[in-house]
Amino acid sequence: MIRFYKEKDYTAMSYRAASFIAAQVLNKPASVLGLATGSSPIGMYEELAKKVADGKITFQHATSVNLDEYYGLAPEHDQSYRYFMEQNFFSKVDIPHERTFLPNGLAADAAAECARYDALIDSLGGIDIQVLGIGRDGHIGFNEPGAAFIPGTNHVKLTDDTIDANARFFASADDVPRYALTMGIRAIMQAKTILMVANGAGKAAILEAAFFGPVTPEVPASILQLHPNVIVCGDTDAMAEIEKNHPGVFAN
Ligand code: F6R
């Protein structure tokens, strides 16, 4: 089942998305949270930090596993996803640092690191709620469009589109790492709940394609149509194509 929430702006989208994470840790304090980086979930992380500061929720008993990390960047690099998570979430909430996990971007043996990460997720009993953004090409994590869905954590070459989209964070496109380690489709699909956040007009077409088009590895997010419990929180701009062509689907 897919529930679509259309919110008036980024703040309202972030608030809505945060409410699902808050409910998750209230219901199950020792939840395993699958987390994402990128611009889409930043407001949600801010809202969650407020809820922790206000004493409404705690992440003291939670564990987190992030979707992905650039391969070749040290955790201290200001564009690494570890750094992003420290800045935007981990340092602002009470989650124990030793229970926050990302793929190790400096692992010498990428294949061994991928296997280790899958074993780690399995040893945690899988993911309770997985936060996802969506790339303009339909990627989730760094699972890029391709000929097949890749089940396990994998070492991927980033597409030109993704390098372009991420170049804004680096001095130039040449500085964007070419490879990343990303959780695969199996761990994502085995998450009990999927929480996607998407904002801005640039996501409108791909959101419609992902959730109303064919299920195909050419649009990696389309596999989520086969997941039993998906929540998609978007602002009006991101939901524009869905609203135009499937106006009856919204839960709010
Ligand atoms: C981030 C990630 C990516 C982003 C996607 C959207 O950990 O795995 O798939 O979710 O590229 O990025 P933003 O939110 O910046 O539009």
Side-chain angles (χ1 to χ4, degrees), residues 35-179:
L35 300 179
T37 63
S39 52
S40 312
I42 290 178
M44 180 190 80
Y45 291 140
E46 278 170 11
E47 188 53 39
L48 288 169
K50 269 191 224 153
K51 288 188 196 302
V52 170
D54 292 348
K56 291 186 177 147
I57 56 170
T58 175
F59 290 99
Q60 256 168 1
H61 307 286
T63 298
S64 70
V65 282
N66 259 77
L67 276 171
D68 43 16
E69 179 60 284
Y70 285 121
Y71 190 58
L73 292 194
E76 304 77 34
H77 189 289
D78 67 2
Q79 291 307 325
S80 78
Y81 285 175
R82 164 58 76 178
Y83 189 90
F84 175 102
M85 290 307 298
E86 295 291 345
Q87 294 291 308
N88 290 291
F89 190 58
F90 299 153
S91 67
K92 297 186 175 171
V93 298
D94 54 354
I95 191 164
H97 189 265
E98 66 279 10
R99 284 211 304 274
T100 63
F101 298 103
L102 285 89
N104 175 8
L106 290 184
D109 181 340
E113 175 58 12
C114 292
R116 183 196 72 85
Y117 206 63
D118 281 335
L120 168 74
I121 296 169
D122 286 347
S123 74
L124 295 169
I127 295 162
D128 288 301
I129 187 164
Q130 176 64 55
V131 177
L132 294 176
I134 184 168
R136 296 178 302 195
D137 59 1
H139 70 235
I140 47 177
F142 274 126
N143 295 284
E144 301 279 13
F149 292 109
I150 300 177
T153 297
N154 56 102
H155 178 226
V156 277
K157 186 161 178 23
L158 305 186
T159 61
D160 291 344
D161 190 55
T162 299
I163 291 169
D164 265 15
N166 293 355
R168 66 191 195 274
F169 301 115
F170 291 83
S172 78
D174 287 344
D175 295 322
V176 183
R178 266 37 189 176
Y179 291 89

Side-chain angles (χ1 to χ4, degrees), residues 2 132 188-189 194 196 211 221-227 230:
I2 308 174
L132 294 176
I188 294 172
M189 287 298 281
I194 300 285
M196 178 174 278
F211 291 104
S222 65
I223 192 123
L224 300 173
Q225 292 180 40
L226 306 180
H227 190 282
V230 180

